[in-house]
Amino acid sequence: MLLQDKVAIVYGGAGSVGGAIARAYARHGAVVHLAGRTEATLRDVAGEIAAAGGEAHVDVVDALDERAVDEHVERVVARSGRLDASVNVISDRDVQGTPMVEMSVEDYLSPVVTAVRSKFLTARAAARVMVPRRSGLILYFGGRFDWTVCRRFSVGGLGVMFDAVESMRRQLAAELGPHGIRVVTLHTGGLPETIPDDFAGRDELVKALTDFTISGQPATLADVGEVAAFAASDLARTVTGASINISAGAAFD
């Protein structure tokens, strides 16, 4: 039980990545607060966790709303007594498939503005309650963007978003490290399981993600959950300011 007695918030907890992390956290003993905008889908994940013997709470929260985020963290601490991990994997509202010069400025900036705002707000709220306890993890998802991808696919503002979040991760790690708070990114290189079946060019993209790896076996959602649990555990106490590479060799460090 890597996370026994720990408390975590997973923003975007009803999504494929957020759900995988939430299930792994609960399986390893954490109390999980599932945060998102759609109560019904959050309850589906919470029900799965409860059926497996875990503890999960459902909280309807817009991670782009400053007041809502701050008040939610206060409620979590009031309810569970502490906060050990804050994970933000909400949808970044990226628009792909259109060449950059044909995009509207709103579509191009959508993932950048969404990710930077939400990750700033959730990290700040978490840090404010973690600092007094001198411990905690802020976990992001994505990692360094592979710009060679743009030769094959139109990614819109996605790459700029990834790079912006990585800069934020470095800055937060440097500022919060002296207070015992770790800031980490999970870097997968792409998850074929998360690509919708009706996505145009899905087969080509899955093949590309697989071919990028050394092993021919890209990371799975189960892999993401288990590594996220390790990152939140005391075993990873020396891991901060880092991107944990689980890309199966698609990205070389």
Side-chain angles (χ1 to χ4, degrees):
M1 302 294 278
L2 284 175
L3 306 180
Q4 188 67 46
D5 299 325
K6 291 187 182 293
V7 176
I9 298 175
V10 180
Y11 298 94
S16 55
V17 174
I21 293 174
R23 293 182 188 95
Y25 276 14
R27 188 165 59 251
H28 284 285
V31 174
V32 181
H33 293 260
L34 301 166
R37 294 183 300 167
T38 307
E39 183 175 2
T41 52
L42 291 170
R43 290 204 176 279
D44 288 342
V45 177
E48 293 177 25
I49 290 173
E55 181 178 350
H57 301 274
V58 170
D59 299 311
V60 177
V61 182
D62 182 352
L64 293 165
D65 184 323
E66 180 175 8
R67 181 176 178 179
V69 168
D70 289 344
E71 291 180 349
H72 172 247
V73 169
E74 291 174 1
R75 291 197 303 273
V76 167
V77 174
R79 179 193 296 165
S80 298
R82 58 193 289 170
L83 177 60
D84 299 283
S86 175
V87 182
N88 187 327
V89 287
I90 72 165
S91 170
D92 295 311
R93 301 179 182 176
D94 53 300
V95 179
Q96 299 187 50
T98 302
M100 186 174 173
V101 296
E102 298 176 12
M103 295 186 75
S104 69
V105 66
E106 291 79 13
D107 283 350
Y108 185 79
L109 291 178
S110 177
V112 182
V113 173
T114 299
V116 171
R117 180 180 177 84
S118 73
K119 288 175 172 60
F120 172 81
L121 291 176
T122 56
R124 187 184 66 179
R128 286 174 172 174
V129 298
M130 290 174 176
V131 165
R133 296 189 67 249
R134 299 192 61 79
S135 69
L137 171 74
I138 295 169
L139 186 67
Y140 293 151
F141 183 84
R144 184 180 69 254
F145 191 72
D146 178 4
W147 287 100
T148 65
V149 170
C150 298
R151 298 200 301 245
R152 296 176 292 277
F153 304 102
S154 297
V155 299
L158 188 69
V160 174
M161 179 272 288
F162 277 140
D163 288 350
V165 171
E166 283 297 86
S167 294
M168 183 183 298
R169 184 258 297 166
R170 295 183 182 97
Q171 182 178 1
L172 281 170
E175 292 186 7
L176 296 176
H179 301 284
I181 300 167
R182 298 182 295 113
V183 189
V184 175
T185 300
L186 295 188
H187 182 185
T188 68
L191 299 168
E193 289 174 89
T194 65
I195 304 171
D197 290 338
D198 60 354
F199 180 79
R202 183 185 191 280
D203 292 343
E204 180 187 4
L205 182 53
V206 169
K207 183 179 185 304
L209 293 176
T210 302
D211 289 346
F212 290 160
T213 70
I214 293 173
S215 64
Q217 297 179 321
T220 65
L221 287 169
D223 292 326
V224 171
E226 291 302 312
V227 177
F230 163 75
S233 76
D234 294 338
L235 294 176
R237 68 176 187 83
T238 60
V239 181
T240 190
S243 176
I244 301 179
N245 187 338
I246 55 172
S247 70
F252 269 61
D253 289 332

